Amino acid sequence: MNSAERLAEDWMDICDSSDVLPNLGVRALVNDEQIAIYRVQGQLYAIGSIDPFSGAAVLSRGIVGDVKGQLVVASPIYKQHFNLATGVCLEEPSVRVKSYPVREIAGRVQVLV
């Protein structure tokens, strides 16, 4: 298998693109990991959905916003902000959630796993 074929297999189909509404999260189970997917300002983002401070899978239900020019989601439990592109916590930069490459192909949302 060449590298192009391998890359094609690593993208996992998640949902229809219409399922990801602007500024609202969608949670998906990908290889036993819970992932939160967002569409903000026309761009897709995917980060781990488990809040590292509470251990709960709640980031997909967080509030999306902008903090000092960074697109973030605020955890609904303790209110820490996580950068949607990098997964880094703004309040505790040593803490992060995993971020995933995400794309939209032929009306479907896919995550690179």
Side-chain angles (χ1 to χ4, degrees):
M1 175 182 326
N2 67 36
S3 61
E5 290 171 331
R6 175 80 179 134
L7 283 176
E9 290 181 7
D10 290 340
W11 286 96
M12 181 175 277
D13 192 61
I14 302 298
C15 63
D16 191 80
S17 61
S18 65
D19 294 332
V20 185
L21 300 175
N23 301 318
L24 296 175
V26 172
R27 188 170 55 181
L29 187 62
V30 177
N31 292 342
D32 294 326
E33 292 184 46
Q34 295 203 31
I35 295 177
I37 302 167
Y38 309 88
R39 183 184 310 276
V40 181
Q41 298 175 354
Q43 174 132 359
L44 290 170
Y45 297 91
I47 61 172
S49 187
I50 306 293
D51 176 352
F53 295 97
S54 69
V58 295
L59 292 182
S60 64
R61 293 183 282 157
I63 296 172
V64 173
D66 180 301
V67 174
K68 298 181 182 177
Q70 295 184 59
L71 292 177
V72 298
V73 62
S75 172
I77 296 182
Y78 296 123
K79 311 302 185 237
Q80 284 92 352
H81 298 89
F82 295 90
N83 182 297
L84 289 177
T86 66
V88 172
C89 176
L90 273 58
E91 291 78 15
E92 297 283 337
S94 63
V95 177
R96 68 174 10 177
V97 293
K98 188 173 180 181
S99 61
Y100 299 84
V102 61
R103 69 183 184 183
E104 187 175 343
I105 299 286
R108 301 292 297 169
V109 174
Q110 297 178 337
V111 173
L112 185 62
V113 295

